Amino acid sequence: MGKRKERAVRYFVLFLLFMLVCTIVSRGIYAYRMPRVTFGTAESKTLLHKIRAGGAVLTKEEVPVVTEAGLLVEKVPVVEGQKVAPGDVLFWIEPADLEKLLEQADAQIKAEEEKLARIHADGTTAVNRANQDLRDVSDSMAGEVNQANEAHRAAVDARNAFPSEEDYKNRAYQQDAEYQKLFEDSKKKKATKEEKRAFSNYKKSLDARLSEEYEKERQALDEAVLEKANEVNAANEKRNDAVKQAERAVEDAKGAGASDGSRTEQENILRSLQEGRERLLALKQAEGKVVCEIDGYVSRIAVHAGERTADTSAMVLSDAAGEKLFQAVLPQEEKAYIAPGDRMSLSFAKNNRQVSGVTVEAVGELEDGSCQVTARVTDPGVEIGETGEMELDKSTGR
């Protein structure tokens, strides 16, 4: 019985030792498999965003080629994008049609000249009469203005001749008998105090009255000058109104007898026809050739053989001497990576030309939301109309 109990205790101790070993082993395995964290100093990293897009070289300087409307085009020997120089033929006008247009222009000019001659003849008498009325009105109203000016000058002279207040009072003293009597009494050798006081009191009363009268007369003269000045202004306004009406009558008389407008309008019509004929004649002398006058490129052609020219430009040329711009369109999301002032490089397949250090001038947004990039190109070897590819590296993350 005692040995069985001793054996049971031994087995229990062995079990506890076994469990302890298992626990230690399992913890070791767990610690081995756990992720380990290493601490260090934070470092910044730079990301490089590369932008590539195709574009073309354009110019801001465009020159329209305008000629007479209604001309029949015989042929157009140029195409859009073609380089042209001064003297190059842009298109020909059909000679027979040009000759017919010249004959029509001569007939129109002759008819309008006859119409203008009738207008002159019909309006001569009325114009002469209206001009005489204008002279009569001008002379008559000038007389009224002169009378008003003379009255104004007289009022000014009267005001200027008005004496000073002191002279005004001295003159009044000489004419006032009571003043003279009291003055003589006060100046006697044996003048009494009462006589002197009487003179002093009278003089004070007289001075007060004379000062009031002086101001009234002075004011009346000023008002007279102002009134006459207003009359001068009124006379001038009346004269101007009368002359203006007479001048309008002259203009109306000049237009009398015109059935299709005033004489001025008729002269403008005739002048326009004559200028058009001169342009047609110049084309005829040039054998119907419309030539280029600048170094440039054909940007747009609005006429074709067998068609007639309109009253707008027949062609549009890009001036080779103008400022050259490279323009490309990028997806909307690229707009965040590019800004004015950024530097990019351009490559052109023609002559395998590379241009670096090109500065972005503007970044815009088109109607569809895409991004339009514009840069100025100064390399003389790059031609307007040439296509190429832009490349821009943009560093981000710092």
Side-chain angles (χ1 to χ4, degrees):
M1 185 70 178
K3 289 183 179 181
R4 187 180 297 173
K5 185 176 182 180
E6 183 179 338
R7 192 182 297 116
V9 171
R10 191 183 306 120
Y11 288 157
F12 179 70
V13 172
L14 292 173
F15 174 74
L16 291 177
L17 289 173
F18 176 74
M19 291 300 294
L20 178 62
V21 172
C22 290
T23 300
I24 292 171
V25 172
S26 65
R27 284 181 177 270
I29 294 172
Y30 175 75
Y32 175 76
R33 291 186 174 182
M34 280 187 66
R36 296 183 181 183
V37 178
T38 302
F39 294 94
T41 304
E43 296 180 1
S44 61
K45 297 294 184 180
T46 301
L47 299 178
L48 192 63
H49 185 78
K50 190 176 292 289
I51 300 173
R52 287 192 181 92
V57 179
L58 311 173
T59 180
K60 288 195 284 188
E61 315 244 351
E62 290 190 331
V63 180
V65 179
V66 181
T67 187
E68 283 294 287
L71 301 177
L72 182 62
V73 178
E74 183 178 13
K75 58 182 175 178
V76 181
V78 296
V79 295
E80 292 184 358
Q82 179 177 331
K83 186 175 182 179
V84 289
D88 290 350
V89 179
L90 299 176
F91 55 94
W92 269 279
I93 301 301
E94 212 283 323
D97 186 71
L98 182 58
E99 189 67 38
K100 187 184 301 182
L101 290 175
L102 271 169
E103 293 175 359
Q104 293 175 358
D106 289 337
Q108 282 183 297
I109 289 172
K110 183 178 180 181
E112 297 300 332
E113 285 176 340
E114 292 174 353
K115 187 182 296 184
L116 183 60
R118 288 196 299 271
I119 292 172
H120 280 290
D122 294 341
T124 299
T125 302
V127 170
N128 290 339
R129 187 185 302 115
N131 279 321
Q132 184 59 51
D133 291 343
L134 174 59
R135 288 191 291 271
D136 293 342
V137 167
S138 180
D139 293 342
S140 174
M141 299 308 299
E144 293 187 18
V145 172
N146 289 335
Q147 290 178 358
N149 283 326
E150 290 175 3
H152 178 257
R153 282 194 295 270
V156 172
D157 292 341
R159 184 180 64 182
N160 293 339
F162 194 63
S164 65
E165 186 173 0
E166 182 180 358
D167 291 341
Y168 181 86
K169 288 181 178 181
N170 288 334
R171 186 183 301 171
Y173 295 156
Q174 298 295 327
Q175 297 174 354
D176 192 295
E178 185 66 17
Y179 177 90
Q180 293 297 326
K181 177 179 178 303
L182 292 175
F183 176 74
E184 293 296 333
D185 292 342
S186 67
K187 295 299 181 181
K188 293 187 302 184
K189 289 185 178 181
K190 296 182 179 181
T192 64
K193 292 182 179 180
E194 287 75 9
E195 289 174 330
K196 292 180 179 181
R197 186 181 300 110
F199 172 71
S200 178
N201 291 338
Y202 184 80
K203 185 175 183 302
K204 287 181 181 179
S205 175
L206 180 61
D207 282 346
R209 178 167 57 82
L210 290 175
S211 294
E212 183 178 353
E213 291 175 357
Y214 179 84
E215 288 301 322
K216 287 183 179 179
E217 291 185 30
R218 180 73 183 183
Q219 183 177 358
L221 289 172
D222 289 338
E223 291 175 352
V225 171
L226 180 61
E227 179 183 355
K228 297 305 178 183
N230 291 335
E231 289 178 359
V232 170
N233 292 335
N236 279 316
E237 289 181 4
K238 183 178 179 182
R239 176 184 178 278
N240 291 338
D241 290 342
V243 170
K244 187 181 293 184
Q245 291 181 359
E247 288 174 342
R248 288 174 179 170
V250 172
E251 293 300 320
D252 292 342
K254 288 180 179 179
S259 58
D260 296 327
S262 68
R263 180 169 56 180
T264 301
E265 291 173 340
Q266 185 63 29
E267 289 172 347
N268 289 337
I269 292 173
L270 183 57
R271 186 181 303 111
S272 178
L273 289 173
Q274 290 170 340
E275 290 173 354
R277 184 191 181 281
E278 290 298 320
R279 290 191 290 270
L280 291 175
L281 184 59
L283 266 175
K284 179 183 177 181
Q285 293 171 348
E287 299 177 347
K289 299 176 184 178
V290 178
V291 299
C292 180
E293 297 180 356
I294 62 169
D295 282 312
Y297 299 83
V298 179
S299 296
R300 188 168 64 254
I301 299 176
V303 294
H304 300 88
E307 297 179 348
R308 292 193 178 273
T309 57
D311 56 359
T312 56
S313 58
M315 284 189 186
V316 177
L317 305 180
S318 297
D319 190 350
E323 184 180 29
K324 290 180 286 190
L325 302 175
F326 181 84
Q327 205 165 74
V329 178
L330 309 176
Q332 185 179 17
E333 58 269 16
E334 298 285 16
K335 187 176 182 181
Y337 296 100
I338 191 167
D342 288 347
R343 297 274 185 164
M344 63 182 182
S345 60
L346 303 176
S347 59
F348 299 94
K350 185 178 180 181
N351 299 327
N352 196 25
R353 181 177 293 276
Q354 302 288 327
V355 182
S356 59
V358 179
T359 304
V360 175
E361 295 286 331
V363 179
E365 184 174 332
L366 301 178
E367 292 182 359
D368 60 358
S370 57
C371 171
Q372 180 175 273
V373 178
T374 303
R376 185 184 289 110
V377 181
T378 58
D379 191 316
V382 178
E383 298 180 348
I384 295 171
E386 194 171 349
T387 59
E389 185 178 52
M390 61 164 281
E391 183 174 319
L392 186 148
D393 294 336
K394 193 66 175 284
S395 299
T396 60
R398 283 190 180 272

